[in-house]
Amino acid sequence: EISIVSKIDSLYNYIENGQNFDYTFLEIGAIGCVTCKRMETVLDEIREKYPTKVNVVFLNILTPKNQEMMKYYGVASIPTQILLDKSGKEFFRNSGYFSTDELSKQFDMKEYN
């Protein structure tokens, strides 16, 4: 079985895997969690606003295969948003509700770094 680090690298390191995204937006939550439900609109808005720039990924922690990811990232509460750069490295994280505007600032600000 491949390690979680290799798995994350193969999925989200766009420099290596040839996909054209600049960022990954991992939304770690669960179906049925009230705040997670509020985040669904944000996920859709980010997908619409950055269709080729941001890979939006929802990880439902009730699914056993996603629990490994949750452990790897040390997520203690849901929802948690984790932003990865083009190489798959984490550069930002938030727990709880996070608005589209706040997320957009992270993606737009990062361009100049």
Side-chain angles (χ1 to χ4, degrees), residues 76-91:
S77 64
I78 59 169
T80 292
Q81 300 80 37
I82 298 175
L83 306 183
L84 310 178
D85 66 14
K86 200 175 181 84
S87 67
K89 301 280 174 272
E90 179 179 335
F91 70 89

Side-chain angles (χ1 to χ4, degrees), residues 64-110:
K65 69 179 170 78
N66 291 333
Q67 294 196 346
E68 189 182 19
M69 293 280 269
M70 186 179 147
K71 282 190 196 110
Y72 174 78
Y73 283 110
V75 173
S77 64
I78 59 169
T80 292
Q81 300 80 37
I82 298 175
L83 306 183
L84 310 178
D85 66 14
K86 200 175 181 84
S87 67
K89 301 280 174 272
E90 179 179 335
F91 70 89
F92 180 83
R93 130 179 344 217
N94 178 72
S95 289
Y97 180 79
F98 206 61
S99 72
T100 302
D101 287 347
E102 289 299 317
L103 274 162
S104 295
K105 282 180 199 162
Q106 293 301 320
F107 298 128
D108 297 338
M109 195 172 64
K110 192 82 175 120

Side-chain angles (χ1 to χ4, degrees), residues 3-44:
S3 77
I4 185 79
V5 177
S6 301
K7 186 174 159 184
I8 287 167
D9 197 54
S10 71
L11 287 172
Y12 307 127
N13 183 339
Y14 305 123
I15 296 164
E16 295 295 320
N17 73 17
Q19 291 189 58
N20 285 326
F21 295 109
D22 291 330
Y23 306 106
T24 306
F25 166 22
L26 293 176
E27 170 70 15
I28 299 172
I31 310 289
C33 142
V34 176
T35 310
C36 303
K37 185 91 182 125
R38 284 183 62 210
M39 283 303 299
E40 284 176 21
T41 309
V42 176
L43 298 182
D44 291 340

